[in-house]
Structure formats: structure tokens, C-alpha cells
Amino acid sequence: MNKKAKNVILIILAFLIVIIEMIPILVVISNSFKRDIDIFSSTPFSTNFTLKSYISVLKDRTFLRGIKNSLIVALISSAFSVIVGAMASYGITRYKFKGKKFVAYSFLTSRMIPQISLAVPMYMLFRSLNLLDNVFSLTLAHISFNIPYVIWLLLPFFAAIPKEFEEAAKVDGCGEKKIFWVIFIPLVSPGLVVSFVFSFIMSWNEFLYALILTNIRAKTAPLVVNAYLGQYAPMWGKLSAAGTLMLIPAFVITLTLQKYIIKGLMAGGVKG
Amino acid sequence: MSLKNKKKRGNFPLFFLMPAILSAFVVLIFPIVYATGLSFFEWNLVSTQNRAFVFLKNYINLFKDKIFWSALLKQFGFIFIAIPIELVIGFFVAILMNRQFKGVNILRSLLLLPVFILPILSGLTWSFMLQPEYGTINYFLSLIGLKQKAFLAYPGSAYAAVVIQDIWRMWPFMFILLYAGLSTMPKELEEAAIIDGANFFEKLYYVIVPYLKPTIVMAILLRTIDALRIFSEVYVMTGGGPGNGTLLLSLYINKQAFEYFNIGYASAMAIILIISSLILTRFLIKNSFDLGESYE
């Protein structure tokens, strides 16, 4: 076989793999534009395009409140984690102090602690503080995985900045805090954006804490999506429409942040 | 920097680290200490009896708990089946995509999508596709004349379905890390092998795999830690059933804590799960995350 023919075959193979990989996502999206009756018919190719599921989902107060809660929890926990995490990351990379390695590795380690293990004591704590089903306590829970993640993701960003920058700033009479805010924060801003986006996605996808720590008021969108499954008659149309809407952030980041995604994944994946 | 300067900076690391350390105390350290404490008590939230200090009894009972062992076994089975398959697929697709052709960038982006998808949406979608009457997979099976099956109704096939769901979602994770590793590989290495007359498999064995080894180790460890705490996708797909067919560790803890309300017993398991992932994380740190000179 000549080289060109071989190449063509390999390219076709690559396309095939991607198409097969996309099937489950296409199934969700196509179900979201179908009537339930067509979803329950045995052929996946029935076409009766409708926006009914979207309309009923967007009219559903529970789902809208879920989205609102998800947004609040994700935005606040990510913003807080990025600020606090950036400070810590800066402290670790730019200073010498005793026990530094221990501190740095402890933060990495804590990112790897299984959520269910923290969920049990958190449930008991929030229960005794009357903070179950509360957006604030859910945000706290999300901070437990977002802060370590941000710190670890930002370490290389801070480390990459040459010492001369801060020395020059010091000569100009900049104080320690000012150096951080005025010199470093703008320089690591790509890292800040990436860590914010990844934290956001982790919170957005998070299900376990929401399942255990919330009930009605603080319920997040993934729980509402799951509830469409129902006890007896699954509402696949609504489920798919809501699920497709929730996919939008994933679409946006995979298309825009490709360059940074590897760094983000190496800092410990994106699972909520 | 002069010595004097260094000294003067002495108080500042604390200033920058304090907010993170304080937060960690509230949301990580305190809960872990509290869980450790809880694990020494027999405490059922629905029973009228008060909690009783039983020291290690929960841990001893765990050893005698058949469901715990089966959950552990299923967890490790999951790790040993899913991760190697994900690695192999990711590896070969990384090699396949490591060439320039039109559209390769779009293909690569598309492959990232499953990794970022909501885990519960993945679980729900697979359970839809596996439905006996209207599921997509059964439709295709019926096209080639096979009988429709209720995949999620039997422990064995439900377990397989859970594993396949994970493979579908996470092989691209392996792919992207290995692809990143491959793209940094010096061209000369490959060219030298070709000049030496190496065929594809020799090239793999002597050049590509050794070069990618650190990336492979790190990818495996990251996925293993991830697989140890898998929860939501399995929870929405099978709820741990049928029977206890897909009851992995996290699901069993959840069941003990929030269905039976055995808080002490669940905490003992939670602590064991934490210890296991800490051990794995140590390997990860040793092998993959080097803080390097710049952090010393």
C-alpha cells in the first residue's frame, strides 16, 4: 500500500472514531427536539422536530431555580477559590519558608479526597447548624474541591514569571501586597481564567454534594435533570432538553480554551 | 536578593497562605477529623438510641461485611477493566491524531466534549440507550436480528454497562494527555527509528512508549484516583443495583449513611476510602508531580 492511500484510510478511521464517540451526545440533543411519543417509538431516527420540551423546561420553576442555584454556587465558589487559591499559589512559589513542600503537597492531596467521604461529616455538621438545604453551605462544600484545584493549577503560572519582574517593582518602591496585585495578577491572568472556568465546570457538574446536602430550596440543576427520570414514567424529552441546556458551558470551553485544557486536566481532571 | 531582604519577607507567605489554610480547615480538615471521630461511634440517626462509643467496632464489622468486600472488589474490578482499556484506546487515537490533516483540530476538540459533560447526563444517556424497548442500542441490535435485552436489569450486564459508560466518557482524557505528550516528542527520535528500519510496533516499543512513560504513569494514577470515588454516573444509571450488582464503594457509603442512617459505620468506610486515595496520591506525587527547583 502506498503512503497516500494509507494516510487516507487513517484519516477516515479518525473521523469514524469521533463520529462513534459523539453518538451519545447526539442522542441527547436529538431527543431534546423530539416529542416524548417519538422518543418512545423504537426507531431513533423518527423526525418530528419540536421545541416543546425546551418550552416546558424553560417554564419549569424547579428547573429555573436549579439553574439559578447552580449559577450562584458555581460562580461564588469559583470566584472565592480563585482569589484565595491565587494568593496561596503565589505564597508557595515566590517565598521560601519552612514546611513549604508539606503545605503544597497537602493541597494537592486534598484535591484527591473522595467527595462521599467529606459528604458524611458535612451532612452531620450542616445538620447540627441547621444549614442543610442552604445555598451557602453547598457553596462551602464546593470550595473544598475548588481551592486545592486552583492552587495546583496556578503553581506553574506563578513559577513561570521571572524574578526580575518583582525585583524591578521593588526597586520602584512597590510593597509586597502591591507586587501581588499590580504585577502578578495581570501576568497570570490566563491562568486565573482557566482555573475559574475549570472550577465553574466542576461545580456545574457536581451532583453528590447537592444530592446529600440539599433538598428543595438549594437544589441544583443536575438534581432537577435527574428528577425528570421520575419514578415510573421517565420524561426523556424534558430531561434531554434540560441536559442539552446544561451542556452549553462544556461546549463553550472545549471550543475556546483548547490551548489550556491539558494543563487543567493534569491538575486533576474535571469530575465534580 | 540580600539576606536582609529575605528576612523582611518572612511574614508575607503567611499573609498569602492564610485564607487558603483557614478555608481548608473549615471545609477539609475539620470534616475529616469529625468523620474520624464519628467512625468510633455507633450512631444511627433514626434509632431512638443515643450514640455509643464503640471504638474500632465499626472497622471490625467492616471486615465481616460481605457487601463491603463485594463493593471493594467491584471497585477494583472497575479500575482494572476500565482504565487499561481507556489507556489503550487513548494511546492509539493519540498516535492516529498526531498528524496534520484538514479538520484534525475540530476532531480533537470534539473528543474533549465527553470529558466535560455532566457525569449524570452521561449516566442518564447510557441508561436511555440501554432501555429494552426504545433504547438506541437495542434498536441497532434488532437491525442485525438480535433480541432486545434489558441490559440494566441483570447485575452482570449492568456492571458492564457502567464500565462501558466510563470508558466512553474518559478515554478521551487519556487521549488528550498522551496527545500532549506526543506532541512534545522530538522528531529526530522517530526518524532515527525509521532509519534503523523499525516497523510500527518496534517504533512503539522502543521509542514512543518509553518517551511517554511519565505521562502514562500520571494519566493512570489520575484516573485511578478518579475511579476510586466514582459516584454520580453510577448512582443515576443503576442506583447500585440490580441487587448490589453495581454497588461501588461510594454508593455503599451513601446507602449506609443516607438510606440506613448508620452514620458511624458509613464514616468508618469514608475513612478507609480517604486512606486509600491518600496512598494512591502519594504514588502520584512521587511519580508525576515534581514541584521542581522553582518552588524550592
Side-chain angles (χ1 to χ4, degrees):
Chain A
M1 201 175 354
N2 68 37
K3 218 177 164 189
K4 214 173 172 190
K6 208 174 117 189
N7 247 343
V8 170
I9 290 172
L10 289 176
I11 291 169
I12 293 171
L13 187 64
F15 271 92
L16 261 179
I17 289 170
V18 175
I19 290 167
I20 292 171
E21 180 70 7
M22 286 302 110
I23 288 175
I25 296 175
L26 295 175
V27 166
V28 181
I29 296 175
S30 83
N31 277 354
S32 73
F33 292 110
K34 282 183 192 172
R35 297 178 306 164
D36 269 351
I37 196 163
D38 293 321
I39 297 173
F40 285 116
S41 81
S42 55
T43 157
F45 301 112
S46 58
T47 47
N48 247 326
F49 180 88
T50 172
L51 289 172
K52 251 181 90 184
S53 297
Y54 283 96
I55 293 166
S56 72
V57 157
L58 290 173
K59 274 187 187 159
D60 182 350
R61 286 245 176 105
T62 328
F63 179 68
L64 294 181
R65 194 171 51 198
I67 290 280
K68 193 181 111 195
N69 287 337
S70 280
L71 279 174
I72 293 174
V73 172
L75 288 174
I76 296 180
S77 75
S78 306
F80 181 81
S81 303
V82 168
I83 295 168
V84 169
M87 288 173 74
S89 222
Y90 175 80
I92 291 169
T93 46
R94 311 308 290 196
Y95 288 100
K96 277 181 191 232
F97 57 91
K98 244 190 174 170
K100 175 163 138 170
K101 250 191 161 159
F102 174 77
V103 173
Y105 284 135
S106 300
F107 277 118
L108 172 66
T109 308
S110 57
R111 168 68 186 107
M112 307 301 174
I113 290 172
Q115 265 165 288
I116 184 73
S117 298
L118 291 174
V120 178
M122 277 187 188
Y123 174 82
M124 296 302 286
L125 285 170
F126 291 142
R127 183 174 170 265
S128 60
L129 295 170
N130 232 341
L131 280 175
L132 285 177
D133 201 15
N134 179 307
V135 176
F136 167 74
S137 56
L138 187 61
T139 308
L140 273 184
H142 282 212
I143 284 171
S144 70
F145 56 78
N146 277 338
I147 285 188
Y149 180 78
V150 171
I151 293 178
W152 205 255
L153 185 64
L154 285 177
L155 284 178
F157 283 94
F158 278 110
I161 293 167
K163 279 222 158 63
E164 288 71 40
F165 276 84
E166 48 191 314
E167 274 154 21
K170 211 164 283 168
V171 171
D172 289 347
C174 254
E176 299 282 344
K177 289 175 206 170
K178 212 175 162 195
I179 291 177
F180 173 72
W181 289 109
V182 179
I183 311 289
F184 275 86
I185 287 300
L187 286 172
V188 297
S189 52
L192 299 178
V193 172
V194 178
S195 54
F196 182 85
V197 170
F198 269 78
S199 299
F200 182 88
I201 282 287
M202 284 195 291
S203 288
W204 187 252
N205 287 354
E206 207 282 328
F207 179 76
L208 173 58
Y209 284 145
L211 176 75
I212 288 163
L213 301 176
T214 74
N215 185 15
I216 301 162
R217 278 173 297 134
K219 222 170 162 181
T220 57
L223 280 162
V224 182
V225 173
N226 183 46
Y228 287 144
L229 200 56
Q231 198 80 42
Y232 302 104
M235 295 181 266
W236 288 115
K238 273 175 108 172
L239 193 158
S240 308
T244 306
L245 290 174
M246 289 207 68
L247 275 181
I248 293 170
F251 274 112
V252 173
I253 68 154
T254 44
L255 292 176
T256 53
L257 286 177
Q258 221 201 2
K259 220 168 77 184
Y260 296 108
I261 280 175
I262 296 155
K263 258 187 193 164
L265 290 178
M266 289 208 280
V270 288
K271 267 189 148 175
Chain B
M1 212 187 300
S2 75
L3 199 72
K4 199 180 143 207
N5 241 337
K6 250 182 218 167
K7 240 186 190 157
K8 226 172 74 189
R9 300 189 66 175
N11 290 327
F12 274 93
L14 211 60
F15 168 81
F16 287 109
L17 281 163
M18 227 32 197
I21 292 174
L22 281 178
S23 315
F25 259 98
V26 175
V27 294
L28 283 160
I29 299 167
F30 187 58
I32 292 173
V33 172
Y34 189 48
T36 314
L38 286 173
S39 75
F40 297 139
F41 284 88
E42 195 167 290
W43 190 3
N44 188 303
L45 287 185
V46 284
S47 108
T48 47
Q49 254 157 16
N50 278 334
R51 58 181 174 173
F53 182 77
V54 292
F55 197 41
L56 293 176
K57 195 178 150 204
N58 284 327
Y59 292 92
I60 294 163
N61 284 346
L62 262 183
F63 272 93
K64 295 187 223 154
D65 183 349
K66 277 193 190 132
I67 301 175
F68 171 72
W69 286 108
S70 107
L72 204 66
L73 193 73
K74 286 187 187 106
Q75 192 86 47
F76 281 105
F78 185 90
I79 290 170
F80 285 118
I81 301 165
I83 294 176
I85 297 176
E86 286 163 15
L87 180 68
V88 169
I89 301 176
F91 182 80
F92 282 104
V93 177
I95 290 174
L96 185 64
M97 296 272 193
N98 189 30
R99 55 186 74 224
Q100 278 312 317
F101 56 89
K102 244 195 174 152
V104 70
N105 281 325
I106 296 170
L107 291 188
R108 281 199 295 257
S109 308
L110 284 176
L111 281 185
L112 289 175
L113 259 178
V115 181
F116 291 92
I117 208 174
L118 284 87
I120 65 140
L121 192 59
S122 170
L124 291 168
T125 305
W126 278 93
S127 83
F128 171 81
M129 295 198 304
L130 293 164
Q131 288 296 321
E133 270 118 45
Y134 49 87
T136 321
I137 289 170
N138 269 314
Y139 169 76
F140 284 110
L141 288 182
S142 72
L143 285 187
I144 52 171
L146 287 173
K147 265 213 183 118
Q148 305 191 324
K149 287 193 182 75
F151 294 101
L152 296 175
Y154 308 98
S157 53
Y159 186 73
V162 162
V163 172
I164 290 170
Q165 182 275 146
D166 193 75
I167 293 171
W168 169 77
R169 212 164 76 80
M170 292 316 272
W171 77 257
F173 175 85
M174 296 289 196
F175 157 77
I176 198 69
L177 293 194
L178 295 174
Y179 173 79
L182 262 184
S183 61
T184 64
M185 191 169 90
K187 276 264 177 299
E188 298 81 51
L189 274 179
E190 219 181 326
E191 279 157 12
I194 292 167
I195 290 165
D196 288 343
N199 65 29
F200 175 70
F201 290 101
E202 286 167 333
K203 212 169 73 188
L204 270 192
Y205 188 80
Y206 292 108
V207 183
I208 298 180
V209 172
Y211 184 79
L212 285 181
K213 206 181 146 206
T215 318
I216 293 173
V217 171
M218 163 152 154
I220 291 175
L221 282 165
L222 278 174
R223 282 293 301 128
T224 309
I225 291 165
D226 224 24
L228 207 59
R229 55 184 179 178
I230 181 165
F231 179 84
S232 12
E233 49 275 53
V234 186
Y235 179 86
V236 300
M237 224 173 140
T238 64
N244 289 326
T246 55
L247 197 75
L248 302 174
L249 222 43
S250 296
L251 283 107
Y252 188 43
I253 297 176
N254 178 61
K255 203 170 188 169
Q256 280 292 349
F258 303 111
E259 279 174 37
Y260 307 151
F261 293 104
N262 284 324
I263 295 298
Y265 194 59
S267 298
M269 267 191 277
I271 295 299
I272 290 190
L273 189 56
I274 289 179
I275 293 170
S276 326
S277 53
L278 291 190
I279 292 170
L280 274 172
T281 309
R282 258 210 79 75
F283 280 112
L284 179 70
I285 289 171
K286 241 189 176 161
N287 286 298
S288 314
F289 287 107
D290 188 8
L291 276 177
E293 278 303 301
S294 49
Y295 311 99
E296 295 291 332

